[in-house]
């Protein structure tokens, strides 16, 4: 009969652990994620030691203000404001401070001094991943970043390792929990964007300054990382088309529901096969997807990523995309891999960019669209709109028209709302049509322009 | 501007590939999966070479009958009936022949000769994984088996690498496509098991002899593998409790629907914390799960695995669990990892069994149950049944009673159907209650006994 351990953090055959080699671990940042990483390393130390074949010894935690109390899992004696010195002493650096500088310089220093790096810093990876990859290569150390995309969901590893023998065609991801929470709340309650955002802020699902989330910047950084991994090419953040959800209205949500669809903020990375070659696209925008699409039922702040690959077919990964503990889980998985390589030899996955595919500008992509217009309600308006679209090669799939209520006493002409969904058409053709509508007297306003995906 | 390649299998910067080292690959078996593996290696050779940093050269494909035509992707000149010789010449062996022998002996020979192994053989791993692991260890080679559980879904790698820093509490998996197809058809159409099985056979989703699938043996082998990975302990196949779906009736499906539930064949592996220690459970049975559980919407022959971990929270992985091409995708991901390690050094994950947790017998587990009985319809019967359950400490959650139609001329006493769902209770208590019911005159038959999970 084997030994039973008492409680979840008890040692398992601890006697054999004392002979294991020790790995010096430095942590950059002691926020929510950093605190959880330290808690797990401390509570599961023996289990981790077994899995690694070595012991993790945290030699320091670099913070900006050493005086601040960080709770029980961040021992005061480990805190230091001298991150630079720490980088020279570590075998392994866990970076959870975020931001571009000083994170980048510190990680480059650490790698130059022979440390492997585990980071959750999507902004840094999206903006300057190439520099980090090159440093890891040059110094023969490992660079892991599972936590940078979709939090706790194992995604980076499956994409760059499990699917390494396959060809990924498309990835549709819900990779920002804040915006999914807001859109889900709007869908369930009929609330406006502003009200749903306020609720998300009250419940801690959105920051006081929600810009990075609601404008899609966070999702765009993740799309850039995913595209690079999926297509073995570099994808610059500046080449990721990015639209947020601030323009999504309660009317859009209702219109989507009427069509059997729901609105999600998607990070889309896609391989576009063309005559004589292929290019890749990475883009972020709110899109209508069918309610029976696997991504449609992803509720609240959950994340999910849907992958289409030539051989594997459709895959989906679902889980928590943020939060201290889930993010710490992803980081520790990477820590175990990086630490195992230190103990047993070998190198982790390197940057794979042999394909060197160019990115395709949004204007050259073909999408299905949903547009909604407010027009004067008089004969011929619909024909005029349909004629404009048709003139640009855009064919209409469905039209929904609705007379808008009006004050009886008003002198204003009667107004109607028109919702049109189209078949797939060139983005540039839609842009041209909208230009025409803007200067058409009978079109009083262009209320929404959204794309339709996942059909 | 980067080069564009023409078509999906065209070379990418091929000029640099000729200088790469070559890895000799032997394939055991040339069935559907083997053929797809060979097709992908041939069509994506240059892409794989970039990802590996080495070229894969297939040196032979071992089959039982060299004379049979295997289609265009299995070149006749590679076929051999002398698998043993092949094992002495390979750097990497891909085993897709299945069965225990000669697969086991051949793989042990190959590892003794220094080859790394990629296998999809769940039966062999479940029955004798320990021997394979030990051989890999002894000879310093790698053993990969992503394709053995849930086909194309990256699952083995996430569990043993991504979640290596976490503590898995429970895994609920739909890991057999045939049985999911049958149960899904029964749910959608109201068909009986026999009719749904016949449909599955006609459509190629079930074998002519469906025993291994419908009796749960395939799912049990996968549960044993999953439990070993998730809990860092060995889980013998004989310790996996296994029930198939042949007893699931259209009435059970209808009763589940009435309760807002659906029936799925689940492979469950679970950590049971007890006073003074913990044990682990692996079991396979058809279970009722709530219709809003993420696993409930897994349709047709798809697989999905739901994981609960301390830090990561709830995760789900979804995709195709079988089929030549999806399985080949999983195999090639492993091939790339194993081949990279040959080229760049390092070792893959080893067996992790430091925890040495014992398995807990089913009788000692607590589950919620659904039981259905046919009883004589007369006063006091329900009270008698409730009394028996209560006597064994089982408390009832809901009761549904229905008078059964009867020939007016019949002399038989009136009969009723009773469906009872219970709160969580000891398996042994339920067994004792059923023993009592079997010898109770008013209980005419025990029609079903199913467990309720995922609540």
């Amino acid at each position: 009969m084997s030994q039973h351990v008492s409680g979840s953090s008890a040692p398992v055959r601890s006697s054999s652990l004392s002979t294991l080699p020790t790995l010096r671990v430095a942590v950059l940042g002691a926020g929510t994620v950093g605190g959880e990483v330290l808690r797990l390393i401390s509570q599961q130390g023996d289990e981790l030691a077994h899995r690694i074949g070595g012991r993790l010894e945290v030699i320091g935690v670099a913070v900006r203000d050493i005086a601040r109390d960080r709770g029980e899992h961040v021992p005061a004696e480990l805190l230091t404001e001298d991150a630079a010195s720490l980088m020279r002493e570590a075998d392994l650096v866990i970076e959870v401070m975020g931001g571009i500088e000083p994170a980048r310089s510190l990680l480059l220093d650490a790698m130059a001094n022979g440390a492997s790096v585990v980071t959750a810093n999507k902004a840094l990876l999206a903006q300057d991943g190439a520099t980090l990859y090159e440093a890891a290569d040059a110094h023969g150390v490992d660079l892991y970043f599972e936590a940078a995309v979709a939090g706790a969901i194992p995604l980076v590893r499956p994409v760059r390792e499990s699917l390494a023998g396959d060809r990924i065609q498309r990835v549709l991801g819900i990779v920002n929990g804040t915006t999914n929470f807001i859109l889900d709340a709007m869908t369930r309650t009929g609330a406006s964007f502003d009200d749903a955002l306020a609720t998300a802020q009250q419940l801690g699902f959105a920051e006081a300054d929600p810009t990075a989330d609601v404008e899609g910047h966070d999702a765009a950084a993740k799309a850039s990382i995913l595209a690079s991994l999926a297509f073995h090419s570099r994808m610059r953040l500046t080449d990721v088309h990015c639209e947020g959800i601030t323009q999504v209205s309660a009317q859009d949500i209702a219109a989507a529901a009427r069509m059997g669809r729901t609105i999600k903020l998607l990070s889309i990375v896609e391989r576009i096969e063309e005559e004589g070659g292929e290019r890749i696209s990475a883009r972020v925008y709110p899109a209508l997807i069918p309610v029976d699409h696997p991504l449609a039922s992803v509720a609240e702040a959950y994340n999910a990523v849907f992958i289409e690959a030539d051989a594997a077919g459709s895959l989906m990964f679902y889980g928590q995309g943020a939060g201290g503990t889930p993010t710490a889980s992803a980081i520790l998985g990477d820590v175990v891999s990086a630490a195992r390589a230190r103990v047993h030899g070998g190198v982790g996955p390197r940057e794979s960019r042999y394909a060197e595919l160019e990115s395709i500008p949004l204007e050259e992509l073909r999408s299905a669209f949903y547009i909604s217009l407010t027009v004067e309600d008089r004969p011929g308006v619909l024909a005029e709109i349909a004629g404009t679209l048709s003139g640009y090669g855009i064919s209409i799939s469905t039209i929904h028209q609705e007379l808008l209520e009006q004050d009886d006493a008003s002198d204003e002409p009667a107004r109607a709302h028109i919702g049109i969904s189209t078949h797939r058409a060139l983005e540039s053709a839609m842009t041209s049509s909208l230009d025409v509508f803007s200067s058409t007297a009978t079109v009083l306003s262009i209320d929404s322009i959204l794309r339709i995906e996942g059909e």
Side-chain angles (χ1 to χ4, degrees), chain A residues 6-315:
Chain A
S6 59
S8 64
S9 60
V12 186
R13 295 195 301 168
S14 305
S15 56
S16 65
L17 293 176
S18 53
T19 59
L20 293 177
T22 295
L23 290 150
R24 288 161 301 167
V25 176
V27 181
L28 293 173
T32 315
V33 176
E36 280 299 292
V37 166
L38 290 164
R39 178 178 72 82
L40 291 174
I41 288 179
S42 142
Q43 290 186 354
Q44 303 192 15
D46 288 344
E47 296 220 15
L48 294 171
H50 277 297
R51 296 175 195 174
I52 291 164
R55 294 202 71 93
L56 300 177
E57 183 202 349
V58 179
I59 58 168
V61 180
V63 293
R64 255 180 306 195
D65 175 9
I66 202 172
R68 222 177 99 199
D69 178 36
R70 315 265 169 180
E72 57 172 327
H73 301 302
V74 188
E77 66 272 21
L78 288 178
L79 293 180
T80 172
E81 291 173 14
D82 182 8
S85 300
L86 210 49
M87 297 302 97
R88 289 192 291 274
E89 294 159 23
D91 298 310
L92 198 60
V93 173
I94 300 171
E95 188 266 302
V96 286
M97 66 196 300
I100 306 300
E101 283 295 348
R104 174 171 47 199
S105 301
L106 290 169
L107 293 184
L108 292 175
D109 275 359
M111 291 195 274
N113 282 298
S116 288
V117 164
V118 174
T119 175
N121 193 331
K122 61 209 155 240
L124 175 56
L125 284 162
Q127 183 168 318
D128 207 10
T131 305
L132 295 181
Y133 271 129
E134 280 159 14
D137 250 5
H139 304 294
V141 298
D142 287 338
L143 172 65
Y144 283 94
F145 48 88
E146 183 65 74
V149 185
I153 308 175
L155 186 69
V156 171
R157 195 182 304 262
V159 167
R160 68 176 181 173
E161 300 181 46
S162 305
L163 291 168
D166 207 330
R167 267 174 75 86
I168 294 174
Q169 290 293 345
R170 187 179 295 106
V171 180
L172 300 180
I174 296 172
V175 295
N176 180 273
T178 302
T179 48
N180 200 59
F181 183 92
I182 292 171
L183 292 172
D184 185 43
M186 291 174 73
T187 302
R188 282 183 296 100
T189 67
S192 69
F193 168 79
D194 288 335
D195 289 347
L197 170 60
T199 305
Q201 285 171 321
Q202 277 158 25
L203 297 174
F205 287 108
E207 309 268 350
D209 175 1
T211 311
D213 293 314
V214 300
E215 296 293 357
H217 304 157
D218 172 80
K222 292 164 177 170
S224 130
I225 297 170
L226 270 177
S228 299
L229 295 175
F231 303 129
H232 306 276
S233 301
R234 282 184 180 163
M235 170 62 77
R236 287 188 303 258
L237 188 50
T238 48
D239 287 336
V240 181
H241 173 82
C242 177
E243 296 171 31
I245 63 164
T246 56
Q247 301 305 312
V248 176
S249 65
Q251 289 71 33
D252 294 333
I253 301 267
R258 207 166 47 225
M259 294 184 277
R261 298 184 176 120
T262 188
I263 298 181
K264 294 289 186 187
L265 182 68
L266 297 184
S267 291
I268 303 173
V269 313
E270 192 171 11
R271 184 192 295 274
I272 312 283
E273 314 242 340
E274 302 169 300
E275 210 176 317
E278 51 188 11
R279 285 185 285 175
I280 54 177
S281 160
R283 51 199 198 269
V284 172
Y285 44 61
L288 283 72
I289 59 172
V291 289
D292 59 359
H293 191 285
L295 289 175
S297 54
V298 177
E300 300 180 346
Y302 272 85
N303 282 14
V305 177
F306 188 80
I307 298 179
E308 291 167 46
D310 278 356
S314 298
L315 298 170

Side-chain angles (χ1 to χ4, degrees), chain A residues 272 274 279 360-369 389 392-395 422-434 449 451:
Chain A
I272 312 283
E274 302 169 300
R279 285 185 285 175
I360 183 169
L362 188 73
E363 303 77 64
E364 298 178 36
L365 284 181
R366 298 176 66 79
S367 300
F369 292 90
L389 290 172
Y392 285 104
I394 302 172
S395 87
T422 78
H423 293 293
R424 279 160 65 86
L426 260 183
E427 185 83 27
S428 56
M430 181 53 77
T431 308
S432 303
S433 302
L434 294 175
I449 163 80
R451 295 169 198 81

